[in-house]
Structures are given as C-alpha cells and as structure tokens.
Amino acid sequence: MKIVKYPHPALRAVARPVTAIDKDVQLAAGAMLDLMYTAAGLGLAAPQVTLDFQLIVMNFEGDPAVKEAEFVAINPVIVESKGTLNDREGCLSFPGLYQNVRRAKSVKVQAYNLKGELYEMTCSDLPARVWQHEIDHLKGELFIDKMGPLGKLGSKRDIEKFLADFEKDKKKGELPADLAPKL
C-alpha cells in the first residue's frame, strides 16, 4: 500500500459506501494509519491508497502516541457546518504543496467506527478542516478544487510538475501506461 500522487485517477474516483466491516476493512484501516504516520500526515482517505470505499483515518495531533486524537471513520457524513475559515492546507497526495483554502470553521460529522458503532463529533478549526478535506477525497474532490484564484495561480507550477512526474512514472513503468489522469 502506498499513497498515490496527483493526478492519479484514484484521487478523482467517488468511493462506494462500506456495506460490511470485515477483515479487509480493518486491515486497510491499520495499514492506512501506519502510512499516514510515516508520511507525517493528519489524515488519509482510502482513495489516496487506491481503495474504492469510504474509509478515513485521522489523528488531529499527527502523533501515534496520542491515541485519543486517532479516529477511523467509515461512511462519514457532515451533517452540519458553521462559519468559514480561510487557512493553509496541504495534502499527502500533493507533497510540498500548501495553499489557503476556505472551509467551514466548525462541523458536526457522523461516521461508523471499526466496531460498526455510529458516532458523532462536533469540532472546529484544524480538526474540522481535516474532516472536510478527507471527506472531500471520498467524493473525488481535491483541495486544489477549493483554492481561490490566487491559490490556483500560485500552485500552477507545482501542479504542472505533478503532471510531468506522473507521465515520467508511466514511461518508467512505475504506473500502467494506459493510466489516464482524471483532471
């Protein structure tokens, strides 16, 4: 399992709901947590590792030792959002790219844990941003889609490099030659 980089088509795929929390889902969650910590991230969504189902792992502290900040979310939904906050954001599928993105300041979310129990969380600021960012991944939406005109302009060179690197990886045989990005 590895984190794919933009413009890998898996990043634009709409994830399907999880219908059973089986061993595959549990193993995927564990592997995704390990990968997220290795990459020094705060969250990781299944499409970022080419899995096509609605699974997110997060740790708002980014620290594997702080277990109370660690969450696994299956079939998450935002049921309420309030306010707006424009702040810096990055993504493990866009290493090194950071731009300001406008998000809701606070959200109320519902999701299932690995035991199949429904839980609800209300949070603000960074945790709310992480929830929104990761849920967007499940819909095939990326943080570059949420940037304003100046952010998009400031990211143009980085995006072009990601596109060029993707094509190089295909030519080197690291990605299938027929893998076409969904931009």
Side-chain angles (χ1 to χ4, degrees), residues 5-169:
K5 294 178 188 164
Y6 181 80
H8 194 287
L11 297 172
R12 291 294 189 184
V14 176
R16 63 181 170 78
V18 172
T19 55
I21 302 170
D22 57 16
K23 189 173 185 171
D24 289 340
V25 171
Q26 293 171 345
L27 289 172
M32 286 170 60
L33 280 166
D34 291 343
L35 200 52
M36 178 190 76
Y37 291 129
T38 299
L42 301 178
L44 186 63
Q48 291 178 273
V49 293
T50 70
L51 297 175
D52 70 344
F53 48 85
Q54 294 181 17
L55 172 66
I56 293 170
V57 298
M58 298 167 287
N59 183 318
F60 304 129
E61 301 291 327
D63 184 348
V66 185
K67 290 296 180 194
E68 63 272 11
E70 187 176 280
F71 295 93
V72 173
I74 298 166
N75 300 340
V77 292
I78 296 171
V79 293
E80 188 177 293
S81 58
K82 292 182 182 171
T84 60
L85 185 64
N86 195 29
D87 206 353
R88 196 166 144 95
E89 196 167 310
C91 180
L92 295 177
S93 292
F94 293 82
L97 177 60
Y98 299 91
Q99 283 292 341
N100 281 347
V101 175
R102 185 176 308 280
R103 299 263 185 201
K105 180 172 175 44
S106 64
V107 293
K108 182 192 288 186
V109 293
Q110 290 179 342
Y112 291 92
N113 63 22
L114 285 174
K115 296 177 185 169
E117 301 162 334
L118 182 66
Y119 67 93
E120 187 172 276
M121 179 186 296
T122 301
C123 53
S124 298
D125 302 316
L126 182 61
R129 179 170 295 279
V130 173
W131 274 108
Q132 292 169 84
H133 179 106
E134 300 307 332
I135 288 173
D136 279 353
H137 272 299
L138 301 180
K139 299 184 278 185
E141 298 171 7
L142 304 172
F143 88 119
I144 59 170
D145 303 332
K146 309 282 184 184
M147 290 177 188
L150 287 177
K152 288 181 180 178
L153 189 60
S155 301
K156 190 174 190 302
R157 192 170 293 140
D158 291 304
I159 299 297
E160 288 170 354
K161 179 157 177 20
F162 286 119
L163 291 166
D165 288 348
F166 183 80
E167 291 304 319
K168 275 189 228 163
D169 288 346

